[in-house]
Amino acid sequence: MTETESNVYDVVVIGAGPVGENVADRTRAAGLSTAIVESELVGGECSYWACMPSKALLRPVIARADARRTPGLRQAVQGPLDTAAVLEHRDYYTSDWKDDGQVQWIEGIGADLYRGLGRLAGPRTVEVTGPGGERRVLTARHAVAVCTGSRAALPPLPGLADVRPWTSREATSAHQVPGRLIVVGGGVVAVEMATAWQALGARVTVLVRGGGLLDRMEPFAGELVAAALTEAGADLRTGTSVKSVSRENGTVVAVTDSGERIEADEILFATGRAPRTDDIGLDTVGLAPGSWLTTDDSLRVTGHDWLYAVGDVNHRALLTHQGKYQARIAGAAIVARASGTSGLDAGPWGAHAATADHTAVPQVVFTDPEAASVGLTLAEAEQAGHRVRAVDVDLATVAGAGLYADGYRGRARMVVDLEDEIVRGVTFVGPGVGEMIHSATVAVAGQVPVSRLWHAVPSYPTISEVWLRLLESYRDS
């Protein structure tokens, strides 16, 4: 350990993923001196092991599926995907796991980057231990923002450590297609990676403890995705838990709760996320290591007027776009409070409060078919005490869907509040619906009255004409 260096900044950000970068961008733009600390690659999980590589893997899969449903193209795309080209495409979008460009960006905004593990060492203090053991102590005049994100949570199964299982990181960065792949889980990571590796040639077995896939969406979303995975050749088993795993002569053996042995070359556990807070010094400020951090709507940690928790780490919405949204709000709140104004009231865009986290969180699952949702499901709306009605439309009845693909299969649901006459939630499932969800997000976040939505005329012939069909169904029901 070298001699301690002390550095004072207005703001110190722990974590240089998209969330931390956006906090730093906002505070630097306002003239606050800012340090950002990163223990891995600048750009974070999304850039190297999540959003970007997963979608780079999935885009050729979905494009081929769409082409196979298009007259004049289907015969030309019956062969296998070019695996080497797909993986090369993925590697391009991860910059071959090098962060030079992201480092240049941080330098460009005038923030200082510290490589190493950042830990809180008391109020407004961050200790950075560098790769060579050197130690620096950073002091924040106004705020410390914890943007360390989340990591894959593995179950406490016998033999798991010796198996060297895949998590989302290995699933998005693997350079060879496993002959056989077991996917444990039924959420977004599970279905997306099952879709990608099945299309690339793996024989995929999906083991779901519950009764279906995508259980945080409307039930029909998981049903349609499950049907497509099965048709593609995946072996989908619901109501199945893994009790133990082992590796025998290089082969993974998973034993289920029924005693069945399933063999594979690799096993992916997509069984949830945990906060990356176990080793960042939370105990030095009276917080529990390894815990999710509770915040107010300006992303300030409860009971700490100088500490912010932004992105996955606060467990409000574990999505990159929501984390970036929170980062913009947190950055503005930090700036407002540093200038002596209220962080909740100041700013040209209104109150600095992450209200969308409560009512209008959009998400797209990039499977074939795609599933996209925003706001509350019917069950969630009813549980919240709203008097609502669900309106469903078969997307195959929309003219634009038939033009998009032969044999188009999909479904749309709009959940309408019968008292306020606004849309509480929307779910689309079908090819190409990912690009449609923002219109629903505007309707939900803006609390647009149903009477006004009649005057938002969808273009013909597009799949977006489903909005007209949903409104007609609501009127006639």
Side-chain angles (χ1 to χ4, degrees), residues 111-331:
D112 289 344
L113 172 65
Y114 289 84
R115 297 273 196 183
L117 179 62
R119 296 184 182 90
L120 293 169
R124 295 184 172 83
T125 305
V126 176
E127 181 180 279
V128 183
T129 303
E134 64 276 12
R135 186 166 66 95
R136 293 180 172 87
V137 176
L138 311 180
T139 301
R141 296 187 185 93
H142 299 295
V144 174
V146 175
C147 308
T148 50
S150 64
R151 57 176 173 78
L154 292 171
L157 287 177
L160 187 59
D162 296 331
V163 169
R164 301 180 306 280
W166 279 11
T167 66
S168 53
R169 283 198 169 194
E170 289 78 18
T172 57
S173 62
H175 283 85
Q176 290 184 332
V177 179
R180 300 162 298 173
L181 173 66
I182 298 171
V183 177
V184 182
V188 177
V189 172
V191 297
E192 287 190 346
M193 291 299 94
T195 298
W197 291 109
Q198 176 74 35
L200 288 169
R203 287 178 292 172
V204 174
T205 301
V206 183
L207 306 179
V208 187
R209 182 174 58 184
L213 304 177
L214 301 176
D215 60 3
R216 295 187 180 181
M217 288 186 164
E218 297 284 7
F220 64 83
E223 291 165 6
L224 287 167
V225 171
L229 276 172
T230 301
E231 289 177 11
D235 181 2
L236 175 61
R237 308 184 191 188
T238 58
T240 302
S241 296
V242 176
K243 292 304 181 183
S244 68
V245 289
S246 60
R247 224 179 244 279
E248 301 174 7
N249 299 319
T251 296
V252 174
V253 178
V255 180
T256 70
D257 49 357
S258 67
E260 182 182 6
R261 290 166 52 93
I262 303 174
E263 296 186 355
D265 299 287
E266 300 291 351
I267 185 168
L268 162 63
F269 280 89
T271 50
R273 307 289 296 179
R276 295 184 63 180
T277 61
D278 48 338
D279 191 26
I280 62 168
L282 291 183
D283 55 310
T284 68
V285 294
L287 297 169
S291 64
W292 302 102
L293 298 176
T294 303
T295 71
D296 62 20
D297 281 347
S298 69
L299 292 313
R300 189 165 55 174
V301 175
T302 303
H304 297 75
D305 62 1
W306 55 273
L307 183 62
Y308 292 74
V310 194
D312 280 13
V313 74
N314 60 39
H315 208 234
R316 292 168 67 100
L318 276 64
L319 296 160
T320 297
H321 48 275
Q322 292 299 123
K324 291 166 69 175
Y325 159 74
Q326 292 175 14
R328 295 189 289 270
I329 289 168

Side-chain angles (χ1 to χ4, degrees), residues 13-77:
V13 179
I14 306 177
V19 174
E21 288 177 330
N22 271 271
V23 172
D25 190 34
R26 292 305 187 275
T27 56
R28 281 300 303 133
L32 298 183
S33 60
T34 302
I36 189 164
V37 182
E38 177 54 53
S39 61
E40 294 186 298
L41 295 175
V42 176
E45 197 80 11
C46 179
S47 299
Y48 305 104
W49 299 287
C51 319
M52 300 304 286
S54 65
K55 302 317 168 280
L57 288 171
L58 286 158
R59 179 57 196 150
V61 176
I62 294 171
R64 182 181 66 167
D66 284 343
R68 286 178 171 178
R69 291 186 285 258
T70 304
L73 271 179
R74 62 170 57 94
Q75 296 305 319
V77 289

